[in-house]
Amino acid sequence: LVSSLHKEMMEAGFSPNRITYRALITAYARAHWADAAFHCFQQMKDSGCELDSLIYNVLLNMCLHLGMVENAFTLLAEMRISHSLNCKPDYWTYNSMIAIYAYTGDVHGAQKMLNDMAQAGYEPDVFSFTSLIQEFAKLKRFDDVVKIADQLLQAGVSPEDRLCECLLSVLTHCTRQDFDKVVACVERADSRLALVAQMLVGDIEHVMQSIQAILAESPKNVKKACCNSLTDLCWNFDFPDRAHKLLNVGST
């Protein structure tokens, strides 16, 4: 629909302005139409429209989801050399780049980006660290997960629901060998949640009441993710009956 509207607009003799280009790029990027998004971005630059960090960040987020690492590095370089203050890297830029470096397995690059973020006046927060933790978990780099989680907690960042949810999801990637070291991080963030995770993969059967209590007290946007991670944990450790019980708990 967006593409057809753009075509109709051009055929009617109207030239896109900055607002139109921003809408087009955002739509294409969210749909993961990378070629169309970058084509519009180039047209926007060629037309002389003013760029800003919002447009760059939309493209960076798309690059993260599509694994377009080199394109992301090019965009960051453009932002850094831009003469416009509106195009300089901001909070969202740094968080996207942290996740992109983590995606490539470049621990030092991700850490450097965290430092650059702080030096630029943007304090890394739970979002900054959890994106790093999630990418390391996908790469099965659990020692790095523990290192980053400890760094976050030692920095005095409050272990809010997002961090607990993140660490719980990491457990679903673990083998039994890595489980204990990660669950220790969960315990430092939320001891009750860690106990439930240990009980689920241990020999204690009667944990559903504890899980119901945790879900009841969790914010709405966390309940589903928490239940999903605990269910995945049961499947990964070969407890299908407990996974089915968790499904019932979540449904009610």
Side-chain angles (χ1 to χ4, degrees), residues 77-187:
E78 286 184 17
M79 295 179 78
R80 282 177 162 167
I81 64 174
S82 174
H83 296 296
S84 171
L85 292 177
N86 292 331
C87 291
K88 295 300 181 182
D90 61 12
Y91 168 85
W92 297 107
T93 309
Y94 287 113
N95 276 323
S96 292
M97 291 307 303
I98 289 166
I100 287 168
Y101 273 110
Y103 172 82
T104 65
D106 186 348
V107 182
H108 297 297
Q111 290 281 11
K112 183 180 182 304
M113 197 55 58
L114 272 171
N115 294 334
D116 289 350
M117 182 179 185
Q119 289 174 5
Y122 300 101
E123 189 67 30
D125 57 10
V126 170
F127 183 86
S128 311
F129 285 94
T130 53
S131 62
L132 195 56
I133 289 171
Q134 287 165 343
E135 296 300 331
F136 282 143
K138 292 175 187 176
L139 296 169
K140 307 291 185 183
R141 300 178 63 156
F142 298 111
D143 287 336
D144 286 317
V145 167
V146 173
K147 180 180 177 182
I148 294 298
D150 284 343
Q151 183 180 343
L152 174 61
L153 294 170
Q154 288 169 9
V157 177
S158 175
E160 59 182 49
D161 294 315
R162 180 180 175 83
L163 175 61
C164 297
E165 174 197 332
C166 173
L167 290 173
L168 194 61
S169 71
V170 171
L171 288 175
T172 68
H173 296 276
C174 288
T175 61
R176 286 191 179 273
Q177 183 178 359
D178 297 305
F179 181 84
D180 289 341
K181 67 177 74 170
V182 177
V183 85
C185 286
V186 179
E187 186 171 14

